[in-house]
Amino acid sequence: QVRLVESGGGLVQPGGSLRLSCVASGFSFSRTGMSWYRQAPRKERELVATITSDGSTTTYVDSVKGRFTISRDNAKNTMYLQMNSLKSEDTAVYYCKTLAVVAYWGQGTQVTVSS
């Protein structure tokens, strides 16, 4: 049974930082590319970042380049999203998702950036 569990969200002030985690189980994590998506209120779900199975290649949406870093630890079956210099427009539910023929999603973690 595939399972993706996100954590690390919360309320943070503008300019602050958070680190999200996504713990995977039930599939070969080390052989699977992964991604982070987010969905803000009244907006469509948006791809934020991707990472290859070995972590060698990453991509980012323009709005987070230079502020967010995607990474993974295959020994721990865990992917991360380090978010720095957070802005109010980063407020959203953040989801991890597999990059595979069959896509699996986590349940999401809420990130709220507000003073």
Side-chain angles (χ1 to χ4, degrees), residues 27-47:
F27 66 101
S28 182
F29 180 77
S30 63
R31 296 184 178 183
T32 305
M34 297 292 296
S35 60
W36 286 99
Y37 279 73
R38 66 185 179 185
Q39 188 165 20
R42 298 174 298 280
K43 291 189 176 181
E44 293 188 355
R45 197 168 291 191
E46 170 189 45
L47 175 63

Side-chain angles (χ1 to χ4, degrees), residues 82-104:
Q82 178 68 43
M83 306 187 295
N84 299 328
S85 302
L86 283 161
K87 305 176 181 179
S88 58
E89 51 262 45
D90 296 317
T91 294
V93 177
Y94 284 72
Y95 301 88
C96 60
K97 174 185 168 289
T98 58
L99 294 177
V101 173
V102 178
Y104 295 98

